[in-house]
Amino acid sequence: MHRRSRGNRSKARRSMVRALADSITSYDALSLAEAIRTRALSSEQVITAYLDRIESFNGRVNALVTVDQERALRSAREADAELREGRIRGPLHGVPVTIKDALLTAGLRTTAGHPKYAELVPDADAWVVDKLKRAGVIVIGKTNCSTLCSDIQTRNEIFGVTNNPWSVGRTAGGSSGGEAAAVALGMSPLGIGSDTAGSIRIPSSYCGVFGLKTSIGKIPRDGHVPLHDETHARPDSLTVIGPIARSIRDLTLCYEVLTGESTTKGAPPAPPRIFWTQDFTTQVIDDEVTRALDETFSVLTRRGADVRKVAPPFPLEKLFSTYMRLYMFECAPEDISRALLPLFFVSEAIRSPFRGGARGSYERLKGKQSVLKRTMDEFLRACDCWVLPATPSTAFVHQKTGRGIQVTSRGRMKKHSYWEASMGLTYPFNLLGNPSVVIPLARGKEGMPIGVQVVGRLGEDRKLLSVAEHVARMIGADCSDHPARLGSLLERPPRTESTLQVTSIWNG
């Protein structure tokens, strides 16, 4: 009897510890920072909770590929000791973060998912990692990415496939899919990704979290693998660095830390002027995405937002040729030959300028890009933000790269181009340079998340974050609270229902 009682008490203690850990890992980064700063929680408690969460759930999704447990715990104890002495490093003191495995981390393996870098242990941090550490963060691990960040599914020869936490048979998106899956499942409160054609926004939409694609040139990308020479590492690169989080206020905090810019404080802005587009000339949109957008449009209108449906200033799908040509000028040869180029239909008109690396062709492309940017800037002057789908459909089943994706549009199911059906609405803003925030909007078929992207004027990231937070509050989606729900989902047998359900991700 005595042994049984002791066993029951031990089981109860373990349950209590697990409940505490689950509670901690449901906080956003700003809440954790405040709890640590006020010593309501210790950094060591927080780091331990996240490491336990990783141990419990990472095996199902394969989001983290390298976990820095010993150093993370040691850094947490140091952070707690500094607080006891009245010292604080910055606004994220003692808070855990994860970093996409394409950004250099001193003393911690960085592979970019490529066998060439399988054993690379950098001596120095990428610029963004160093900046975050100076603000007090503790890096707990690296997250999976597609090979050389060149696919919109996350998989590579070294670490394999990352699964979507809402349905492990589906993709988490890419190339920052590991980050989005980790944040969604509560294995990290905040992650850093990169985005060349949608690599932050697609995973954020597919996994139901918030993501920020910053304006071109806002955040230095020094230390992003592949390691291009200085000729390729241009400040106006199509590739940008940005955060993935469970709240817009975390995106804002991270943006402030990385740029030194202070976002708008005080009272929320007046009801924003919103341009809204969900119908395109040739870009396919799945019916469940359209339905979720229709419902959200109605909610915003009822709540006093000034929402106006508009056509894009030019057909977004027509920008692909210009985007691809500029991308190839930026690429190291291994990027093209390794993964990306064979997967696109590349016409002779696109290939020919690269025979001999014609400088004139590059200058003409940059000129065309500048004209497009000016046109977009004029279009956005009449609104506070432009809302459009983040992805044409929800996360699809794991499949071979380049194979067509099934999309049901206007009641008819049809296979559409792999790239059109995934990144058709994200790559234009890499070419145009505009900032974009992804907001989780609803859940569709089989409970899969649906997201929208809120686009702002080039360089006005601060204003966009403020407006996006206001929009998110109006639709009741300003902070994610679903890590615990996802944990219980992964602990029970997978769902088999296939009925269409578009419901708020925040209400069930």
Side-chain angles (χ1 to χ4, degrees):
M1 178 68 72
H2 180 68
R3 282 196 299 271
R4 186 179 302 168
S5 297
R6 190 163 52 193
N8 289 340
R9 286 197 299 271
S10 177
K11 185 177 179 180
R13 270 197 307 271
R14 286 197 301 270
S15 296
M16 192 163 56
V17 169
R18 173 69 181 272
L20 175 63
D22 285 348
S23 174
I24 289 173
T25 56
S26 291
Y27 292 172
D28 67 358
L30 194 60
S31 297
L32 288 172
E34 184 177 357
I36 292 169
R37 186 171 57 253
T38 59
R39 297 173 67 179
L41 289 171
S42 70
S43 178
E44 185 175 5
Q45 279 180 303
V46 171
I47 297 295
T48 299
Y50 276 93
L51 292 172
D52 288 348
R53 183 84 174 178
I54 291 167
E55 185 177 358
S56 296
F57 294 110
N58 193 50
R60 295 292 303 275
V61 295
N62 191 34
L64 280 95
V65 294
T66 303
V67 179
D68 200 12
Q69 179 170 327
E70 289 184 13
R71 283 203 306 176
L73 286 169
R74 186 166 62 247
S75 296
R77 295 181 193 113
E78 291 170 359
D80 290 333
E82 288 170 353
L83 279 176
R84 288 193 293 272
E85 295 168 2
R87 291 184 290 138
I88 184 166
R89 298 180 199 173
L92 288 166
H93 186 98
V95 175
V97 300
T98 45
I99 306 293
K100 183 178 181 177
D101 197 32
L103 288 158
L104 300 181
T105 42
L108 188 62
R109 181 174 57 173
T110 302
T111 75
H114 196 304
K116 174 180 177 179
Y117 302 113
E119 303 303 324
L120 173 64
V121 179
D123 295 325
D125 288 318
W127 185 93
V128 65
V129 177
D130 178 68
K131 190 78 169 176
L132 285 170
K133 285 183 176 179
R134 291 174 186 270
V137 306
I138 296 173
V139 176
I140 57 174
K142 304 296 289 291
T143 52
N144 206 17
C145 62
S146 58
T147 306
L148 297 177
C149 306
S150 60
D151 195 355
I152 48 81
Q153 295 182 81
T154 293
R155 60 184 172 204
N156 57 66
E157 294 178 33
I158 305 173
F159 302 115
V161 177
T162 295
N163 300 320
N164 192 300
W166 294 91
S167 175
V168 294
R170 295 174 181 267
T171 182
S175 60
S176 307
E179 274 305 333
V183 171
L185 192 48
M187 296 189 292
S188 173
L190 178 67
I192 300 297
S194 60
D195 190 312
T196 303
S199 290
I200 288 172
R201 290 161 291 159
I202 294 169
S204 295
S205 179
Y206 284 172
C207 294
V209 291
F210 297 86
L212 169 64
K213 175 220 166 290
T214 51
S215 291
I216 280 182
K218 273 289 182 181
I219 299 173
R221 64 182 190 92
D222 300 351
H224 186 277
V225 181
L227 303 172
H228 303 320
D229 60 33
E230 290 185 359
T231 303
H232 293 99
R234 300 177 54 91
D236 61 349
S237 167
L238 300 172
T239 299
V240 301
I241 307 298
I244 294 174
R246 289 205 301 274
S247 67
I248 293 184
R249 68 180 195 160
D250 277 1
L251 297 182
T252 301
L253 174 61
C254 190
Y255 177 82
E256 290 179 346
V257 166
L258 294 176
T259 64
E261 297 179 20
S262 178
T263 53
T264 304
K265 302 293 183 183
R273 299 167 302 162
I274 302 171
F275 279 180
W276 186 278
T277 305
Q278 62 187 72
D279 297 313
F280 301 86
T281 52
T282 61
Q283 172 65 56
V284 63
I285 305 293
D286 194 276
D287 287 343
E288 62 181 341
V289 175
T290 298
R291 183 175 162 189
L293 287 164
D294 284 339
E295 292 180 1
T296 304
F297 182 89
S298 297
V299 168
L300 286 170
T301 302
R302 287 198 306 271
R303 293 180 179 174
D306 178 7
V307 194
R308 181 152 55 102
K309 290 187 176 181
V310 300
F314 37 68
L316 295 180
E317 59 271 21
K318 300 297 184 184
L319 304 181
F320 186 65
S321 172
T322 303
Y323 167 84
M324 272 306 301
R325 293 184 190 186
L326 278 175
Y327 177 82
M328 285 188 278
F329 268 114
E330 287 188 4
C331 278
E334 64 176 329
D335 287 319
I336 300 173
S337 61
R338 176 70 191 166
L340 196 56
L341 200 56
L343 306 178
F344 287 94
F345 173 76
V346 184
S347 68
E348 181 64 20
I350 294 177
R351 288 196 303 267
S352 58
F354 301 94
R355 293 174 180 163
R359 178 68 192 172
S361 296
Y362 177 75
E363 291 171 349
R364 283 194 297 273
L365 285 169
K366 294 299 287 183
K368 185 173 182 180
Q369 182 188 34
S370 295
V371 171
L372 290 166
K373 285 180 179 180
R374 286 195 296 271
T375 303
M376 179 59 69
D377 187 69
E378 286 298 318
F379 171 73
L380 294 174
R381 282 181 186 274
C383 67
D384 293 312
C385 67
W386 182 24
V387 176
L388 62 163
T391 53
S393 67
T394 58
F396 52 89
V397 174
H398 295 298
Q399 63 184 56
K400 183 179 179 181
T401 298
R403 181 178 295 166
I405 297 172
Q406 293 276 11
V407 176
T408 301
S409 181
R410 302 182 189 278
R412 297 178 59 186
M413 182 179 289
K414 182 181 175 183
K415 273 193 176 181
H416 290 267
S417 155
Y418 181 78
W419 305 104
E420 173 197 11
S422 56
M423 67 177 212
L425 295 170
T426 51
Y427 82 83
F429 301 107
N430 294 86
L431 174 65
L432 300 168
N434 300 80
S436 173
V437 172
V438 165
I439 298 175
L441 190 65
R443 283 188 289 151
K445 186 169 57 179
E446 298 183 358
M448 300 308 296
I450 297 169
V452 291
Q453 56 179 332
V454 183
V455 178
R457 290 178 65 191
L458 179 60
E460 295 190 357
D461 303 48
R462 291 184 300 173
K463 177 181 177 181
L464 175 67
L465 284 161
S466 179
V467 171
E469 185 168 21
H470 193 68
V471 171
R473 283 176 179 166
M474 292 183 80
I475 62 176
D478 55 321
C479 188
S480 157
D481 64 352
H482 54 246
R485 198 176 335 144
L486 273 173
S488 64
L489 182 69
L490 289 179
E491 287 174 336
R492 62 178 188 257
R495 293 173 57 183
T496 57
E497 301 97 291
S498 59
T499 54
L500 176 65
Q501 293 180 322
V502 179
T503 57
S504 170
I505 202 168
W506 316 107
N507 297 324

